Amino acid sequence: MAETALKIDKFHLKGNASFTIREGWLTKGMRNVAQDPEVFLRENATATLGVGSAMVKSIRFWLQAAGLTSEPRAGRRVQTLTQLGQIIMNNDPYFEDLFSLYVVHANIASNMRLTTAWYLLFNAFDAQRFTRTTMEDHLLTTFKELVNVDFSEASFRDDCATALKTYVADKVKQTSPEDNMQCPLVALGLFEKGKDMFERTIPSPEKLHPYVVLYVLISALGNRTSISLDKLLTEPNNVGKILHLNNYHLNAYLDRLQADGLLTVQRTAGLNMIYPVADLTALDVVNQYYGR
């Protein structure tokens, strides 16, 4: 559903048990949920998934945050694959295609309720270069302005640090694959880390397929049939925020999507408007990408 202003209606802290997504977790989680919707409720879940109990909790969390599974709000909380999860399971179960990882990222970065710190990192923080402390302080101040209940500042800061680790390579040398804590989303190229500073980056065209831009655009469109170029760049959960696109790069993607007949761009002196194909859904975009 589209958002026109930054807001926090509901939030969640430390649901990930301080873990980023690890290589193979989403594949393992989807496969096991497809075989047994109650896998996360079983006493032998750690043996089935081959990880510790905290990691079981984290995998369960990340599957939902990424939009790959869902579970009821009440009652016996079994998990089932969402339509998106089923599509990815059928077409790219090992997340070898960057498109799949970008879709996962877009869902996490726009998930105000489950991944609140990630949501704020992309939607409430525009600094090009920054330290982790600067980022955490800014997001904490913003968060306090948006919620009116008590919360643990330590937990919030921990989530902020983990959100950054989601996209920045771990420089520590690992002794075995099991010790590798680098998240697959590092490959998207959304942030870089220097000696003392982090830097927000624009993904290279070789990595970012135009259908990712369309997926984010349609997901944020809600019930609207058109949207201005300015809103694409500035409103929460849209392509300027979620994909770090500026006016120049966004226009290049829009031209490619228009050439493919997926949207129309009307450029005028006063207002540039984008009209996606009628009734096109975000799931349609995913299906069309894999069906090319």
Side-chain angles (χ1 to χ4, degrees):
M1 193 169 183
E3 296 187 56
T4 57
L6 190 67
K7 60 182 180 179
I8 299 288
D9 293 332
K10 297 180 180 180
F11 66 89
H12 196 61
L13 303 179
K14 296 297 288 288
N16 59 308
S18 296
F19 293 107
T20 62
I21 301 169
R22 292 193 180 184
E23 193 71 41
W25 273 14
L26 298 180
T27 300
K28 183 183 297 187
M30 288 196 305
R31 183 176 64 242
N32 279 281
V33 166
Q35 294 172 352
D36 179 10
E38 297 190 356
V39 60
F40 291 107
L41 304 178
R42 306 288 186 192
E43 291 185 0
N44 65 344
T46 55
T48 300
L49 295 166
V51 297
S53 58
M55 290 185 178
V56 169
K57 176 185 176 183
S58 188
I59 293 173
R60 178 180 183 173
F61 171 84
W62 282 120
L63 289 172
Q64 295 177 79
L68 302 174
T69 66
S70 63
E71 61 181 49
R73 292 275 187 262
R76 191 163 177 79
R77 300 180 68 184
V78 297
Q79 285 215 358
T80 55
L81 291 178
T82 61
Q83 287 181 273
L84 174 65
Q86 191 63 63
I87 293 169
I88 292 180
M89 187 79 171
N90 293 341
N91 292 278
D92 186 25
Y94 297 102
F95 293 86
E96 297 170 309
D97 194 319
L98 283 179
F99 175 85
S100 305
L101 292 176
Y102 271 114
V103 168
V104 165
H105 153 68
N107 291 340
I108 290 171
S110 61
N111 195 329
M112 174 192 67
R113 185 179 68 84
L114 285 182
T115 42
T116 309
W118 285 255
Y119 169 83
L120 290 172
L121 174 61
F122 283 89
N123 289 295
F125 187 61
D126 296 326
Q128 187 65 29
R129 298 182 73 248
F130 55 91
T131 65
R132 190 182 75 176
T133 300
T134 299
M135 179 269 291
E136 289 179 8
D137 289 346
H138 180 90
L139 294 190
L140 180 60
T141 299
T142 302
F143 189 57
K144 287 179 177 178
E145 293 172 351
L146 293 171
V147 301
N148 57 2
V149 296
D150 292 334
F151 64 93
S152 167
E153 290 192 14
S155 293
F156 182 80
R157 286 186 179 275
D158 186 69
D159 271 5
C160 288
T162 307
L164 204 51
K165 289 180 185 176
T166 303
Y167 301 98
V168 178
D170 186 357
K171 301 297 184 182
V172 178
K173 185 177 180 180
Q174 307 296 340
T175 57
S176 73
E178 285 299 314
D179 294 327
N180 183 18
M181 295 186 292
Q182 181 169 305
C183 177
L185 300 187
V186 168
L188 304 184
L190 291 164
F191 292 96
E192 291 182 354
K193 186 178 186 301
K195 183 178 179 181
D196 301 309
M197 303 285 288
F198 295 90
E199 184 171 1
R200 185 181 307 272
T201 52
I202 298 173
S204 68
E206 292 76 21
K207 290 184 174 183
L208 183 61
H209 193 278
Y211 278 45
V212 176
V213 176
L214 186 61
Y215 176 83
V216 175
L217 189 161
I218 296 295
S219 297
L221 195 63
N223 295 323
R224 294 172 289 184
T225 58
S226 64
I227 188 169
S228 69
L229 180 64
D230 180 66
K231 286 189 175 181
L232 286 181
L233 291 168
T234 61
E235 77 172 11
N237 293 346
N238 224 312
V239 293
K241 298 290 189 179
I242 300 300
L243 299 174
H244 295 170
L245 296 182
N246 58 27
N247 184 72
Y248 173 80
H249 288 90
L250 177 56
N251 272 291
Y253 282 109
L254 293 176
D255 287 342
R256 290 180 63 182
L257 291 167
Q258 179 167 240
D260 288 346
L262 294 167
L263 52 76
T264 300
V265 182
Q266 290 187 359
R267 294 183 171 92
T268 63
L271 187 64
N272 299 323
M273 295 297 297
I274 291 83
Y275 299 84
V277 169
D279 300 322
L280 185 68
T281 69
L283 285 177
D284 290 336
V285 176
V286 176
N287 273 317
Q288 286 188 31
Y289 175 82
Y290 291 127
R292 293 171 306 141

